[in-house]
Amino acid sequence: MGELDAFTDVLDYPMYLVTAAAGNERAGCLVGFASQCSIDPPRFMVWLSKANRTYRIARDASHLAVHALRGDQKDAAELFGSRSGDDIDKFEHIAWRWPADPDRGAAPVLEDACAWFLGRVEGQVDGGDHVGFLLSPVEQSPPGRVRPPLLLLSDVLDLSPGHPA
């Protein structure tokens, strides 16, 4: 048993889908380690596994897009969490677009996410097997009228990862 297991085993946090683009490449993955980390200025931190392709693309990206998924979007979670971009182009299997103002930065935005934001990468922090990307929001989805149930860790525990952590 790991040193944090007794604590983390009781958590059921939201899962996010993070996308990146650099050069002619784009990538995306399912992320469980993420949180708002400042109110003023607004900042959000996402942690990407060093083992996956999204991390390799994100290292050179100026912006990342972070998407909240509804509880009924397990298919998107499975696509981005169980498949590797080393093997398939995930974006051929899901509706997406570029942000409204690509001059402000770009990362693929998923059409069906219940909420998303595009964040400028302000810095990176090595946390061990994951690297944290500190994001400053530059564009976001319009506000929703209702707060739908989100896709949670417990909803995806049965998925096999596309890469080990």
Side-chain angles (χ1 to χ4, degrees):
M1 179 175 245
E3 291 83 7
L4 275 178
D5 289 351
F7 178 76
T8 59
D9 285 351
V10 301
L11 302 179
D12 197 14
Y13 43 81
M15 300 298 293
Y16 302 93
L17 209 154
V18 175
T19 59
N24 294 333
E25 298 187 276
R26 61 184 184 230
C29 65
L30 191 64
V31 170
F33 304 154
S35 178
Q36 182 175 353
C37 57
S38 176
I39 296 169
D40 187 18
R43 297 289 186 266
F44 197 90
M45 183 75 94
V46 296
W47 296 86
L48 302 178
S49 169
K50 292 177 181 178
N52 73 37
R53 182 172 187 275
T54 303
Y55 165 70
R56 294 191 304 270
I57 304 300
R59 285 185 309 201
D60 297 321
S62 62
H63 293 74
L64 302 178
V66 180
H67 306 80
L69 299 175
R70 295 182 314 276
D72 64 357
Q73 291 185 287
K74 188 172 178 181
D75 55 340
E78 185 169 6
L79 174 63
F80 282 84
S82 292
R83 304 294 306 268
S84 171
D86 293 327
D87 303 324
I88 68 162
D89 182 353
K90 300 174 190 181
F91 297 94
E92 289 181 357
H93 304 280
I94 197 161
W96 68 278
R97 63 174 177 78
W98 293 109
D101 186 358
D103 291 337
R104 296 176 73 184
V109 173
L110 305 182
E111 294 283 349
D112 198 29
C114 67
W116 60 269
F117 79 93
L118 178 68
R120 181 178 50 254
V121 177
E122 298 291 346
Q124 298 177 27
V125 178
D126 190 323
D129 58 8
H130 284 66
V131 171
F133 290 78
L134 181 63
L135 304 177
S136 173
V138 297
E139 187 178 336
Q140 66 181 334
S141 56
R145 293 188 196 152
V146 296
R147 183 175 288 174
L150 295 179
L151 187 75
L152 301 175
L153 174 64
S154 59
D155 297 321
V156 298
L157 286 175
D158 62 327
L159 298 182
S160 297
H163 280 285

